[in-house]
Amino acid sequence: MFRPYRRCLLGLLLLAACGALAAGEVEITPIPPSPEVIVDIGGKPKAPPDTGPVSVVLTAAQPGHLFTIGQPMELTVRLTNPGPAEKVAMTTRISSSQGCPVYLDMVGVALPEKGAHAETIRFVEARRLPRGPYRVDVVIEGETAIGYGYTLVNVWDGPAEGPHGAFGVSYAGPLDAARTLADLDLFTRAGIGWLRFPLRGWLPQGGNTTPREADIYKTFIGQARERGFALMAAFTPTTTVDPAVDMDRANKDYQESLLAAATYFGPQLPYWELLPVKPNPLFPELRGFRAPELLKGREALRTFNKHLICLTSLETPFQATVMDYAAVGLPPKGDLLGITYNFIGLPETREANPKPPLIELPTITQTCQTLLKRTPPIWVTEYGFEPAKADRLPGATHQGALMARAFILNRVHNVERTFWRHDPDSPFDLPLTNADGAVNPGFLAMRTTLEMLEGATLVREVPGPDGMHAYLFGKGDLSSRGRKKGNARYLLVVWTSRTPTAATIISEATHVSMTDLWGNAVEFDPVDGVILSTVDEFPRFFDLGKSDKAELINPFAHMTPSRVVLQPNGDNRFVFNMVNDPRVFKNNHVFEIHFRRWPNTEEVKTYKAPFNYQYDRYDRIFPLTIPAGARKGQIYEVTADIKVAARRVGLLTLPVWYTPEAK
């Protein structure tokens, strides 16, 4: 094998790039050129060869490219060369979800003429990586041959212990696609307990004739039930006429189509969502199938089997739809009300058009109470990111954060169950798994969120600084008697929809465990009932034990700015400061602030700060330098570990980015 040179990041790049903060200065190590830009020795862009680029496909033996924490990474790179035989350089770069480099390797590879060749990437030091999503980029460069490929990998604790009933997938893709069963297997590993799938009814012809699609549905249902999923069918009918043309015939078709499917699948499908059918816009005189037709279908289904449960789901505009439904008695007692929505902005926003369903939820429930004299249980039967935004959607990592936040907010607003749309046929509708079989960050985000909130009930919203969202959940016996016996535990969930910041958490807990969105835990031992943590767009879960006291106030320490972007001739520095006030520490303390830089956390720079409990402050400025050759993007993360007598009371993080554009 032709291997003229090799270099490994953890052996060379990381130890140089991620050294300690020494003498108050942070070093930034040159990073190799971006793998997305392939250049020749002279720095000019290469033209693709006439035969086309080298195909680069990355795979891993682990399903979903999921590596258990503490496990080395091994991936296979398959290179298919359409041109003549050539010796090329293969550069592998592994980076965090935010672009921070953790591994770099370059080897020589001999490509056969118009043939394929396989290489193995072995990253032994991956055993030291924290849980979370990572990206693997591979660049091929030779005299004439070029190529590029990437995939995602995730480091995690392993599969969930069991399914969680509050979250499901609305599987919008083909039910018999090659990857469908692999998707279902991955969903179970994340602890996802429900599946919603599209089911189109049929009209019986010549007795008991059933279409070929019925067998596809039956196979899918059987495979899903084998894996322990609870199922809900999103039903649309097959009809021969629109109600505006012949109402009696349309209702007959609807009911026959529904009952044909219900009879065929029997008790395997206890939940049926009856979807409205919009008319063909080319014929404005048609009306489609709306509330009156859905009611008659529901009545026929109840007559057929009174144990089946139906949902009628609201689409935008929610207020008008719920009034149409409630006016005819939908949903009847014992049934559920569903909501479908595509996100335009953030889950917390109130200004989106159309408005998010949670903003209109009070109006929806009030309408139901007025017209139905009750409020039915509410499920979100399909959440998703607006596919029409295509490549303007948030990146995969931030999609994971938004999914978790939307789910948490649904729990806060008493939405019993949430389904997230997943469409393997759409490149912009894959929140959980990717087209190459790797899982997306949303998979790991929901795996953590479901585990954290399993069995939890909202206790109250916790007020905090502007833009911060904090909710206290309880688990176990939350009655007065249960609390007195110590059978209740409390979980504080915090994030911000604005710029990353920090918050002081005041609690009576003697020990607090914080879990981030990827499953990494940090232990705190409060002093004077106080801890401090960075708060950003990724929810954090604070286990307060038996203490239900939780208060958020402005941070007693912070790093400014909250994100550093280094530029040539820029103000390249950050400021660390601490300020005490009587609400925080009640005694004099000597703080130790340990600064580290991730990915390399072995070298530490420590400072001591004596604090007077009545009022005191500590400030320190850290200059940042930029050596030549730094690569655009995030280059590392600075952490400030704040301790009092070996007890951790605070942990702050500061992402450091670089851009070559001068101010």
Side-chain angles (χ1 to χ4, degrees), residues 336-420:
L336 310 172
L337 186 65
I339 297 175
T340 65
Y341 182 74
N342 283 332
F343 280 101
I344 306 297
L346 303 177
E348 306 86 2
T349 187
R350 305 183 69 90
E351 292 77 27
N353 185 20
K355 291 182 179 179
L358 295 185
I359 305 302
E360 297 203 36
L361 199 55
T363 305
I364 292 171
T365 55
Q366 182 180 356
T367 301
C368 290
Q369 194 63 42
T370 300
L371 298 179
L372 298 175
K373 307 305 180 187
R374 55 188 166 76
T375 301
I378 295 176
W379 293 8
V380 170
T381 56
E382 187 172 273
Y383 259 4
F385 299 108
E386 177 55 66
K389 294 179 70 174
D391 54 0
R392 294 180 292 115
L393 287 169
T397 303
H398 292 282
Q399 284 189 24
L402 296 177
M403 289 175 68
R405 284 153 53 179
F407 174 71
I408 296 166
L409 289 172
N410 284 355
R411 293 291 300 273
V412 167
H413 289 84
N414 295 317
V415 173
E416 293 186 359
R417 189 157 287 124
T418 301
F419 294 80
W420 205 280

Side-chain angles (χ1 to χ4, degrees), residues 50-61:
D50 294 337
T51 53
V54 175
S55 169
V56 181
V57 178
L58 293 91
T59 58

Side-chain angles (χ1 to χ4, degrees), residues 26 28 563-566 574 624 633-638 654-658:
V26 179
I28 299 178
R563 286 174 174 166
V564 175
V565 179
L566 306 177
F574 74 89
L624 305 169
Q634 184 177 353
I635 48 181
Y636 54 78
E637 184 177 80
V638 175
L654 177 70
V656 179
W657 301 67
Y658 169 69

Side-chain angles (χ1 to χ4, degrees), residues 592-654:
E592 289 186 353
I593 305 104
H594 306 275
F595 289 95
R596 295 179 176 85
R597 189 184 303 179
W598 188 84
N600 179 33
T601 58
E602 294 176 353
E603 298 183 43
V604 183
K605 187 68 177 178
T606 300
Y607 299 89
K608 289 190 176 182
F611 246 58
N612 185 298
Y613 77 94
Q614 293 179 332
Y615 179 81
D616 215 335
R617 68 177 298 130
Y618 173 85
D619 303 278
R620 191 175 187 92
I621 298 174
F622 292 94
L624 305 169
T625 61
I626 310 174
R631 179 187 185 275
K632 182 177 181 180
Q634 184 177 353
I635 48 181
Y636 54 78
E637 184 177 80
V638 175
T639 64
D641 196 357
I642 306 170
K643 295 184 178 182
V644 174
R647 300 172 65 180
R648 177 181 289 120
V649 296
L651 184 67
L652 300 178
T653 58
L654 177 70

